[in-house]
Amino acid sequence: MTTIERVILHLDMDAFFAAIEVRENPSLAGKPVIIGHPGKRGVVATCSYEARKFGVHSALPSVVAERRCPQAIWLPGRRKLYSTVSRRIRAILDRFSPTIEPLSIDEAFIDLSGIARDLAGGAEKARQMKQTIETEERLTASVGVAPNKFLAKLASDMEKPDGLVLLPLDALERRVWPLKVERLWGVGPRLAERLHGGGIRIVGDLLRVPKNSLVALVGERSAAHLRSLARGQDRRPVETARKTKSISEERTYVEDLTDPQEIDRALFARAEGVARQLRREGLEGRTVHIKVRNPDFKTWTRAWTLPEATDMSQPIVDAARRLFAERSRLAGGGVRLLGVGVSGLEPTGSGQASLFADPREAKVRKAELAADEVRGRLGRNALTRARLIRGPRRSEQDGD
Ligand code: TTP
Ligand code: MG
């Protein structure tokens, strides 16, 4: 039996936010451009390739970036603009295949199996895709073409920016085996450390060491997973509707929040935002999380599982408050970053519990849904509960 080789593309835009800013203001072309806020508390969101030459990269503390590249031009970033561009690029991809799995604001898998006859045909489509994006959006993308997602994603990164890399199985030894094990899907810092302990640093090492010693090092399941990746095998399908695992919202505060009332308002606002997003996506969740970073940079998280899944603000707010109160009694201090999230998601109404058992709850639900609708029509800030407007508000900035 012959299995038909799949043709999978992974497309990732180059220096996405920075490239959009350069496009919008051509006088920035060729210059080191950093998206982020300079100063003690900032981090780099991304930067142009000119800035990367100086050792600047995503997630680098701004103070370090300023030292490495003093002449850089800093821009605060315009998320709405970037999302709009992201949607337009998605629309271009839609012309090439019905099977697209977006991974983030600037990357997606595209399944061309049955559309392109082989990998070379896939590469031709990739070239057209890049050309269309360049013509219509004046932006460059890097694309990897391979028989599966794992290899396609590695390939898109190999010749950035403006890259197009075809990575068939017979190129594994030359192009994949020399890569660090950290590049493998599922290898985080802890697993990497264990592998290093066993003398395994590059992908090729996974097949070089005897199977038994790999099993002894990382266990049967990880060993099998890692070895099949090293052989370039990955059967995951391109999933058009990826299951969302959790929904969360967080903010970093320019000035620490110290007033308990203010902290409470922030908790409330984040919880409401999360509930709204759940409703927008037709999901409800059972486990409420909070994430808090104190002024000393210590970050802690707490979770609480509700008796039943919800997409309403109140139970999420209550849980978030309780979680915060429990820990803050022990820790005290102000708040630099505050996040609320919900996981354990399922489509609305799929739970066992009857949603509208309590008539009061049905009423609250109706009110929240009506509010969503007004917001949808008038914009996000059209409706805000009274408690959010009370008191002076500190400036907030988007968390990453
Ligand atoms: P990336 O694709 O990781 O980065 P990039 O597109 O800027 O650069 P590259 O050419 O290496 O792909 O992320 C896409 C965008 O997401 C990026 O432009 C900015 C944003 N982003 C953040 O806001 N914070 C982060 O920590 C990262 C990694 C990205
Ligand atoms: Mg990118």
Side-chain angles (χ1 to χ4, degrees):
M1 194 186 78
T2 53
T3 47
I4 298 165
E5 190 178 53
R6 292 188 294 158
V7 180
I8 310 292
L9 271 54
H10 178 260
L11 177 141
D12 188 307
M13 301 299 297
D14 301 321
F16 190 51
F17 294 0
I20 294 172
E21 295 295 345
V22 173
R23 170 186 93 172
E24 299 294 305
N25 176 3
S27 76
L28 297 174
K31 297 188 181 149
V33 174
I34 299 178
I35 310 298
H37 296 274
K40 263 200 341 236
R41 291 207 161 163
V43 292
V44 171
T46 189
C47 60
S48 66
Y49 277 79
E50 286 80 3
R52 294 184 198 197
K53 285 186 208 134
F54 296 89
V56 180
H57 55 78
S58 291
L60 189 70
S62 296
V63 282
V64 181
E66 286 174 278
R67 203 160 54 229
R68 291 190 185 165
C69 187
Q71 70 274 44
I73 297 155
W74 289 76
L75 298 170
R78 296 182 272 179
R79 301 255 164 191
K80 257 173 97 176
L81 171 64
Y82 310 150
S83 315
T84 308
V85 178
S86 175
R87 277 196 299 277
R88 296 224 300 247
I89 288 160
R90 166 66 197 252
I92 293 176
L93 302 184
D94 285 336
R95 296 180 214 159
F96 288 85
S97 168
T99 315
I100 290 173
E101 176 179 335
L103 287 181
S104 76
I105 192 163
D106 87 324
E107 57 177 323
F109 285 115
I110 302 120
D111 193 343
L112 290 179
S113 313
I115 296 170
R117 54 184 305 140
D118 53 16
L119 290 180
E124 174 52 26
K125 290 278 179 207
R127 204 191 50 75
Q128 293 167 11
M129 226 174 254
K130 278 162 57 70
Q131 186 63 58
T132 312
I133 292 172
E134 203 157 343
T135 312
E136 295 184 15
E137 293 296 328
R138 286 177 295 132
L139 294 169
T140 62
S142 293
V143 184
V145 185
N148 57 53
K149 287 163 82 164
F150 161 62
L151 292 176
K153 187 152 161 83
L154 283 182
S156 71
D157 202 44
M158 284 177 172
E159 289 175 17
K160 252 184 177 298
D162 202 15
L164 170 49
V165 173
L166 181 69
L167 190 57
L169 280 179
D170 57 21
L172 272 187
E173 186 167 353
R174 189 168 62 87
R175 304 205 75 167
V176 177
W177 290 359
L179 300 175
K180 289 183 176 160
V181 284
E182 284 85 343
R183 295 288 298 280
L184 296 178
W185 160 49
V187 179
R190 275 180 44 211
L191 186 53
E193 201 177 310
R194 243 189 289 158
L195 290 168
H196 294 171
I200 298 168
R201 297 193 165 268
I202 59 170
V203 177
D205 292 338
L206 291 163
L207 298 173
R208 191 180 45 77
V209 302
K211 192 173 167 192
N212 292 342
S213 44
L214 185 61
V215 170
L217 207 57
V218 299
E220 192 111 33
R221 274 189 53 177
S222 287
H225 168 77
L226 292 171
R227 282 169 65 94
S228 73
L229 289 180
R231 288 200 196 89
Q233 271 140 24
D234 169 20
R235 298 163 63 104
R236 287 173 299 164
V238 174
E239 288 176 295
T240 45
R242 236 159 40 100
K243 256 187 134 174
T244 312
K245 292 208 182 73
S246 72
I247 282 179
S248 62
E249 208 181 280
E250 65 181 52
R251 287 284 184 282
T252 305
Y253 297 90
V254 177
E255 280 173 82
D256 299 325
L257 302 184
T258 45
D259 172 13
Q261 272 200 354
E262 207 169 1
I263 293 172
D264 192 59
R265 271 203 294 277
L267 269 175
F268 188 89
R270 297 294 77 77
E272 272 226 308
V274 167
R276 207 147 59 218
Q277 204 180 328
L278 283 169
R279 296 194 293 272
R280 196 158 54 220
E281 308 213 359
L283 296 169
E284 46 189 29
R286 279 190 68 186
T287 305
V288 178
H289 314 256
I290 63 166
K291 174 175 163 190
V292 179
R293 184 167 300 143
N294 293 120
D296 59 3
F297 272 87
K298 286 215 175 80
T299 306
W300 52 274
T301 58
R302 281 286 183 282
W304 174 265
T305 299
L306 302 169
E308 56 182 295
T310 186
D311 61 359
M312 293 287 104
S313 311
Q314 202 57 56
I316 301 174
V317 172
D318 292 345
R321 281 190 177 136
R322 182 162 31 191
L323 289 167
F324 186 85
E326 269 171 20
R327 166 72 191 243
S328 67
R329 260 205 303 279
L330 307 172
V335 168
R336 261 201 68 151
L337 173 152
L338 187 65
V340 174
V342 172
S343 63
L345 302 181
E346 52 194 53
T348 306
S350 57
Q352 312 284 343
S354 56
L355 259 179
F356 303 110
D358 178 352
R360 247 187 15 235
E361 194 182 314
K363 226 165 139 187
V364 171
R365 182 176 180 79
K366 242 173 112 181
E368 292 205 10
L369 291 175
D372 286 349
E373 210 177 283
V374 174
R375 269 187 212 99
R377 266 186 283 132
L378 304 180
R380 193 171 143 70
N381 296 320
L383 256 193
T384 308
R385 290 204 182 175
R387 64 175 301 121
L388 292 184
I389 337 182
R390 223 194 299 140
R393 288 242 269 152
R394 300 209 189 201
S395 51
E396 294 180 346
Q397 69 187 39
D398 273 338
D400 265 332

